[in-house]
Amino acid sequence: MISEPPITILGSSSSGNCALVQTAEAKVLIDAGFSGKRICQMLSDISVRIEEIDAVFLTHEHADHTQGFRGLYRYQNLTWISNKETFESIAHPNKNKARWNHFETGNRFSFKDLEIDTFSIPHDAADPVGFTFSWGGNDLFSPHHNIAWVLDLGHMTSLVRDKISKATTLVIEANYDQRLLEEDTKRPWSVKQRILSRHGHLSNTAVAEYLHSEVSPHLDHILLAHISKDCNSPEAIRRVFAQKTQLAVRSKIRLFNPFSEAIEIL
Ligand SMILES: [Zn+2]
Ligand SMILES: [Zn+2]
């Protein structure tokens, strides 16, 4: 039987991203890219109250990762954790009413029973990061987990490859299908160039090729996320991965389908 990944993706696409990680001691969100009301609803759907959440880790300032701040900053139980550049790039009149902890990109730190590593990702934001969250492994009843969260990156750098190499669960973006992006009529040429650039987003092909070339034996779960609703589809992803990845790797892959808002087998 395939076990469940130790992370709950509440929602993920180019219009919003938010996930919940729960350990014995901590409940934290990664990104807050929906309205505060919607995040509270998504949590309540899985019987978690916003008052139980300890912290929100922010990867970068883009609205699809931070728009929940506006509705959630009043909750005094939340610590907002980001680097300084991301903090400074969030425009909100009551920003300082929330509690913030800042890290230096590249540093490791702990939060309750979580060990967090932070690293730069190539994306057009002030100082965008990927995270790994690791915990457990001290006894039989708490297995070791290491979740890597890498969304919003124009290409796989050697730093990113190295930082996610020990992950047991990898959440990575499969943002667009090359043909669907080219055919899209909503986006002007300049926006398409931004998405395609080395500081834009990863295509289905780029992720499939990475997973074909480099998947560590530690990896139990691969979750494809940040799927564009306009320039991608689960069918396009299935087609590319069927061609490019081996069955042994493919069997570990799930996708967060933004159309049905559910995790599906590839
Ligand atoms: Zn972004
Ligand atoms: Zn994004």
Side-chain angles (χ1 to χ4, degrees):
M1 202 187 95
I2 298 165
S3 63
E4 291 294 313
I7 180 169
T8 307
I9 296 186
L10 299 174
S12 183
S13 77
S14 292
S15 41
N17 297 278
C18 186
L20 170 70
V21 174
Q22 302 186 74
T23 66
E25 290 176 23
K27 284 188 175 64
V28 303
L29 296 180
I30 315 176
D31 285 328
F34 297 93
S35 73
K37 202 172 158 193
R38 178 101 192 274
I39 291 172
C40 292
Q41 184 58 52
M42 288 163 153
L43 287 169
S44 125
D45 289 346
I46 53 165
S47 306
V48 177
R49 292 179 314 121
I50 188 71
E51 290 84 357
E52 297 173 61
I53 303 295
D54 303 298
V56 186
F57 287 79
L58 299 176
T59 54
H60 64 298
E61 70 275 17
H62 290 163
D64 60 316
H65 299 261
T66 60
Q67 61 187 298
F69 180 79
R70 192 163 166 249
L72 298 179
Y73 78 89
R74 285 187 193 84
Y75 289 94
Q76 290 301 311
N77 52 298
L78 298 176
T79 300
W80 295 81
I81 300 177
S82 77
N83 58 33
K84 276 235 168 66
E85 289 73 7
T86 297
F87 167 77
E88 276 158 15
S89 303
I90 293 172
H92 190 275
N94 293 318
K95 201 162 65 174
N96 288 314
K97 290 194 177 155
R99 182 172 54 240
W100 288 87
N101 275 354
H102 297 306
F103 58 81
E104 287 282 333
T105 299
N107 280 4
R108 292 177 70 94
F109 56 93
S110 56
F111 181 86
K112 296 188 179 260
D113 56 350
L114 288 164
E115 272 290 316
I116 298 107
D117 199 2
T118 65
F119 49 93
S120 283
I121 55 172
H123 187 58
D124 55 358
D127 188 7
V129 297
F131 290 117
T132 63
F133 295 83
S134 53
W135 73 97
N138 304 324
D139 62 63
L140 265 182
F141 301 102
S142 71
H144 167 73
H145 293 289
N146 181 326
I147 297 174
W149 177 267
V150 278
L151 305 182
D152 301 70
L153 68 168
H155 64 284
M156 293 295 291
T157 62
S158 49
L159 176 70
V160 171
R161 287 169 196 267
D162 179 52
K163 291 290 185 179
I164 69 179
S165 63
K166 293 195 176 65
T168 54
T169 296
L170 170 63
V171 185
I172 191 164
E173 79 168 338
N175 184 248
Y176 65 91
D177 174 80
Q178 188 89 22
R179 191 174 57 82
L180 293 177
L181 178 65
E182 280 163 17
E183 288 172 2
D184 178 60
T185 51
K186 283 192 197 166
R187 287 163 177 75
W189 181 82
S190 58
V191 172
K192 290 184 185 181
Q193 290 308 304
R194 183 186 87 71
I195 294 168
L196 286 161
S197 80
R198 284 171 68 78
H199 286 77
H201 291 275
L202 284 185
S203 69
N204 298 342
T205 307
V207 190
E209 282 173 353
Y210 162 72
L211 292 174
H212 178 67
S213 64
E214 247 176 277
V215 163
S216 90
H218 314 288
L219 201 49
D220 298 322
H221 303 283
I222 301 162
L223 288 170
L224 304 178
H226 211 302
I227 293 166
S228 165
K229 286 188 191 172
D230 296 325
C231 306
N232 209 349
S233 69
E235 295 68 39
I237 291 174
R238 286 192 181 95
R239 196 167 52 235
V240 167
F241 278 76
Q243 287 166 2
K244 301 221 178 252
T245 45
Q246 291 159 344
L247 192 59
V249 173
R250 212 149 68 226
S251 67
K252 299 178 177 185
I253 305 176
R254 301 285 177 272
L255 63 88
F256 184 86
N257 183 341
F259 301 94
S260 67
E261 303 212 318
I263 289 182
E264 291 179 6
I265 292 171
L266 193 66

